[in-house]
Amino acid sequence: ATTEIYTLSLHDALPIFFSRVIAMPTYKAPVRDMRFLMNEVFDFESHYKTLPNGEDATPDMVEAIVGEMAKLCENTIAPLYQSGDEEGCKLEDGVVTTPKGFKEAYNEFVAGGWQGLSHPVEVGGQGLPMSLGLIKQEMMATANWSFSMYPGLSLGAMNTIQMHGTEQQHQDYLVPLTEGTWGGTMCLTEPQCGTDLGQVKTKAEPQKDGSYKISGTKIFISSGDHDLTENIVHIVLARLPDAPKGTKGISLFIVPKYLPGKIGEDNGVSCGSLEKKMGIKASATCVINFDEATGFLIGPEHGGLECMFTFMNSARIGTAMQGVAHAELSYQGALPYAKERKSMRALSGKKEPDAIADSLIHHGDVRRMLLKQKAIAEGGRAMIYYAAQYADNMIAGMLEDDMKKYEHWDSELGFLTPILKGFLTEKGLEAANEGMQVFGGHGYIKEHGMEQIARDARISTLYEGTTGIQALDLLGRKVLLSSRGKCVREFSKKLVDFGTKNLRDPKLRPFAWKLLKIAAEWNYLTTRIMLVAAKDRDMVSTASYDFLMYSGYAMMAYFWALQAGVASDKLENGGNEPAEFYKAKLATAEFYFDRMLPSAKGHAEAALKPTKSTMQMSAEEIGRASCRERV
């Protein structure tokens, strides 16, 4: 492996000179890697030709979108990353303000028409495929995750209103949301409940004019209040007076901060406080109080949960993107530091004889950390771009009024999303920590920016369902209950197909052979868990995390093999990128299979262990064991 392997996505990064002060990571959109996936691995051009909303997504249009968004992110959004963290959001006299520069950057974002990129032309959008919106989100997320959350949260509100709102609600709310002049939120969590939404207590009292008075408190509401837009539209779960208990008694309501046509007039919606958080401090996470606020039913009575989760799979892809974003940004910070920082001599002999010591990048363990970051970022990006095509097909079914097609692709996406969200956010957090480790003590110092990436990454494993919740969704609902293992069998066929096709290729044989073995092991693991869980239901819970992580490693192995296969072909027959780029892909794939994929076996072994070691102590015994000194 040559130094070029590590520098391809940063070929034009500025040199860093180290004294007491070390430069912040400078975001550069990885356009070359994005083009490789879109054009050479997944053939987005042909994919878009199959979509009812893909006609305008020509190669020239896609190239222009990627190029212009890269400029906006690099020049406008990324420079606010550290300053936004230092300043944070403020709540004074009931008014929430975002950090300096955020409003101007948001106005530039809105002026470019970016918010409605993948929404219908009828409501002011550009009508392009959802995958282009996700690619746009990736660049924004990596440049400045806190900033990206403001328009990102609006997308959930927009999608829900688009799917379940009336035509009047489309005009009243969806149009300004699509323009970006209004913001949106999803209000689920309350002080007494997070994941268990059956405990929701917010009330909705019917009024004679068909509206409802909404009263209750919601917490952890990202973008719940801010000064970027003139209005904020909350999508709120609440209960009608006659609602049955549990999740079957929840309805969904549109509750704007200001009613349409009455901007500035109190509607009983207020920010009670801003959460004091570990990271993403420039994102306003609010306690929102609804005091007899006027709201409007969206969807059927008591059908709120179904409406809320209509686009949950695509929303979780957006959260999974955070894992890729933080791996990429941390890598972009750690790489130039490792190339410039001098420390000791390489074990194999002097690499820079004229310098006082060799650069960190010549040490094997530092290369291990850098390549892990690179493998996570580029492998995760491939996983998400693949899932984005599923999302496009799902939306195509909706646009064509073909519910069978919609449900098929929603189901296919449903298997991928808990793996993407759970595995990639865990690995993204790991990559962010590795970036700090490359810096050594400097990584722990705030001014250098690496610790901020790790702090910001931490939330990704918690919201939109913790890793444990994703694991239970994957194993309990998707694998065991819904498909009896069929979803694993079907996806693992892709690994088998690649393996059998490339087993005789000298360059690809190592990848092919390992994919065949892991496909067999994945199915064996699924079957064993299914058989044990039939007698011991606790097995589903105790095995779920390890099953999810195993599935993530297996899935990423397939996508690294896929990239290696394309790279090998382009080296032989010519491609769009320099030969060094394709060589780097092969080398990184080899690193993933040699140094990261073996972790999957440990997860498989742990998943199959009896539940006794986890469940044998009572709650009281665990408590006593943890404070035995005082017993």
Side-chain angles (χ1 to χ4, degrees):
T2 63
T3 301
E4 283 75 13
I5 287 176
Y6 308 104
T7 61
L8 286 170
S9 64
L10 295 173
H11 59 282
D12 53 353
L14 295 174
I16 296 180
F17 298 95
F18 296 94
S19 57
R20 173 65 184 88
V21 178
I22 302 171
M24 274 284 294
T26 302
Y27 175 65
K28 188 73 175 177
V31 173
R32 177 178 285 175
D33 194 60
M34 297 165 72
R35 289 192 188 116
F36 170 67
L37 293 175
M38 288 189 289
N39 300 334
E40 298 181 316
V41 178
F42 297 125
D43 191 8
F44 270 58
E45 181 180 358
S46 297
H47 165 69
Y48 286 147
K49 289 178 181 178
T50 68
L51 304 177
N53 60 341
E55 182 179 355
D56 293 332
T58 62
D60 288 344
M61 173 65 80
V62 172
E63 181 71 17
I65 288 171
V66 171
E68 289 304 311
M69 176 50 65
K71 291 178 184 177
L72 177 65
C73 290
E74 292 169 2
N75 301 329
T76 302
I77 298 175
L80 302 173
Y81 184 56
Q82 187 177 30
S83 62
D85 179 72
E86 292 174 348
E87 183 180 347
C89 296
K90 295 181 176 63
L91 172 61
E92 296 178 355
D93 299 324
V95 177
V96 176
T97 54
T98 52
K100 293 176 183 176
F102 270 51
K103 188 169 181 61
E104 291 76 11
Y106 184 80
N107 289 340
E108 187 175 343
F109 170 83
V110 170
W114 292 108
Q115 184 68 325
L117 186 70
S118 299
H119 281 77
V121 174
E122 295 77 21
V123 292
Q126 298 181 43
L128 292 167
M130 179 178 283
S131 56
L132 280 175
L134 286 168
I135 291 167
K136 169 202 75 177
Q137 283 179 259
E138 182 206 337
M139 286 185 274
M140 291 179 64
T142 313
N144 190 330
W145 181 260
S146 289
F147 179 90
S148 73
M149 291 188 70
Y150 291 101
L153 267 294
S154 295
L155 293 174
M158 292 161 65
N159 290 336
T160 303
I161 295 172
Q162 179 184 337
M163 187 70 171
H164 301 288
T166 65
E167 184 58 37
Q168 188 61 51
Q169 288 171 340
H170 286 182
Q171 293 303 313
D172 287 345
Y173 301 102
L174 193 53
V175 170
L177 282 166
T178 302
E179 293 172 348
T181 54
W182 289 10
T185 77
M186 307 292 277
C187 293
L188 290 74
T189 306
E190 297 182 5
Q192 76 285 352
C193 69
T195 302
D196 185 3
L197 294 173
Q199 298 183 47
V200 163
K201 294 181 178 179
T202 298
K203 298 178 180 179
E205 294 286 345
Q207 304 299 299
K208 292 181 179 180
D209 62 359
S211 67
Y212 296 79
K213 291 297 182 184
I214 311 298
S215 298
T217 296
K218 300 287 184 176
I219 64 170
F220 303 159
I221 307 304
S222 300
S223 308
D225 200 11
H226 52 78
D227 59 350
L228 302 183
T229 58
E230 66 180 22
N231 198 7
I232 300 173
V233 180
H234 301 286
I235 306 298
V236 183
L237 288 178
R239 291 186 181 280
L240 294 168
D242 60 345
K245 294 181 179 180
T247 56
K248 294 181 179 180
I250 301 174
S251 299
L252 194 62
F253 300 87
I254 299 173
V255 187
K257 180 179 181 179
Y258 305 121
L259 292 168
K262 298 181 179 180
I263 302 299
E265 295 184 20
D266 181 28
N267 186 38
V269 180
S270 62
C271 176
S273 65
L274 291 176
E275 304 289 359
K276 296 179 180 179
K277 301 171 295 184
M278 174 180 176
I280 56 169
K281 295 183 178 180
S283 169
T285 305
C286 305
V287 173
I288 298 294
N289 296 318
F290 298 94
D291 300 308
E292 295 192 343
T294 298
F296 305 92
L297 184 69
I298 180 169
E301 291 185 0
H302 315 315
L305 207 59
E306 291 78 5
C307 294
M308 176 71 83
F309 284 101
T310 298
F311 282 84
M312 187 55 69
N313 286 328
S314 55
R316 285 176 175 167
I317 298 177
T319 308
M321 189 80 76
Q322 188 173 356
V324 175
H326 287 115
E328 177 69 37
L329 187 60
S330 187
Y331 173 63
Q332 291 196 17
L335 175 64
Y337 182 86
K339 291 175 65 180
E340 295 293 333
R341 179 74 169 182
K342 312 297 182 188
S343 182
M344 302 183 293
R345 291 297 182 184
L347 295 180
S348 57
K350 292 182 180 180
K351 306 301 180 185
E352 302 172 51
D354 295 332
I356 192 170
D358 292 329
S359 298
L360 288 173
I361 201 166
H362 296 298
H363 299 298
D365 187 57
V366 174
R367 287 193 171 211
R368 174 191 63 80
M369 292 186 283
L370 292 170
L371 278 170
K372 180 189 286 188
Q373 292 179 299
K374 181 177 173 65
I376 292 168
E378 296 178 12
R381 181 176 296 115
M383 293 167 73
I384 284 175
Y385 281 27
Y386 179 83
Q389 291 190 334
Y390 277 24
D392 284 341
N393 293 333
M394 182 186 74
I395 297 301
M398 186 179 71
L399 294 174
E400 294 166 347
D401 200 23
D402 185 343
M403 290 309 296
K404 186 175 181 180
K405 180 177 180 179
Y406 173 88
E407 290 170 1
H408 168 76
W409 287 108
D410 185 51
S411 176
E412 293 288 312
L413 192 60
F415 171 63
L416 299 182
T417 49
I419 300 174
L420 295 180
K421 198 281 180 184
F423 179 74
L424 290 183
T425 57
E426 290 286 348
K427 296 283 88 179
L429 176 60
E430 188 176 325
N433 284 325
E434 296 286 22
M436 288 180 64
Q437 197 77 2
V438 170
F439 272 66
H442 289 294
Y444 200 65
I445 303 302
K446 186 176 179 65
E447 65 193 88
H448 307 321
M450 301 303 288
E451 60 84 35
Q452 182 187 343
I453 302 171
R455 284 189 291 106
D456 287 354
R458 188 64 187 87
I459 185 63
S460 65
T461 67
L462 303 176
Y463 56 21
E464 290 294 340
T466 63
T467 304
I469 293 299
Q470 302 300 327
L472 281 172
D473 178 48
L474 172 66
L475 180 58
R477 183 177 295 130
K478 306 293 175 54
V479 174
L480 300 183
L481 185 62
S482 297
S483 72
R484 302 293 296 169
K486 181 181 177 182
C487 51
V488 173
R489 293 193 296 273
E490 290 185 345
F491 192 91
S492 63
K493 287 179 183 177
K494 301 179 190 298
L495 283 67
V496 173
D497 290 344
F498 183 97
T500 53
K501 179 182 177 181
N502 295 286
L503 205 53
R504 295 183 180 181
D505 187 319
K507 291 183 180 179
L508 301 179
R509 185 181 297 121
F511 307 128
W513 180 241
K514 288 179 181 178
L515 282 187
L516 289 172
K517 290 198 294 185
I518 205 165
E521 187 176 54
W522 198 2
N523 280 281
Y524 171 76
L525 177 63
T526 303
T527 303
R528 278 287 305 277
I529 292 174
M530 191 182 305
L531 291 173
V532 176
K535 299 179 180 179
D536 182 358
R537 297 304 296 170
D538 282 330
M539 184 69 170
V540 179
S541 181
T542 60
S544 59
Y545 167 78
D546 288 297
F547 182 84
L548 180 143
M549 295 304 290
Y550 182 93
S551 301
Y553 277 112
M555 193 173 285
M556 186 174 278
Y558 169 70
F559 287 105
W560 263 118
L562 203 62
Q563 292 181 82
V566 174
S568 178
D569 175 71
K570 298 304 178 184
L571 280 171
E572 185 174 341
N573 301 308
N576 299 331
E577 304 296 343
E580 289 77 7
F581 178 88
Y582 300 118
K583 291 177 182 178
K585 285 293 177 186
L586 283 166
T588 311
E590 183 178 348
F591 172 85
Y592 178 81
F593 274 79
D594 282 356
R595 298 283 179 167
M596 295 182 66
L597 185 57
S599 296
K601 185 167 287 292
H603 286 293
E605 291 179 0
L608 293 176
K609 294 300 181 183
T611 61
K612 179 182 175 182
S613 59
T614 304
M615 305 303 295
Q616 61 185 334
M617 282 195 291
S618 68
E620 291 76 15
E621 288 172 328
I622 293 175
R624 285 198 297 270
S626 65
C627 57
R628 62 171 63 93
E629 296 85 356
R630 290 176 286 176
V631 174

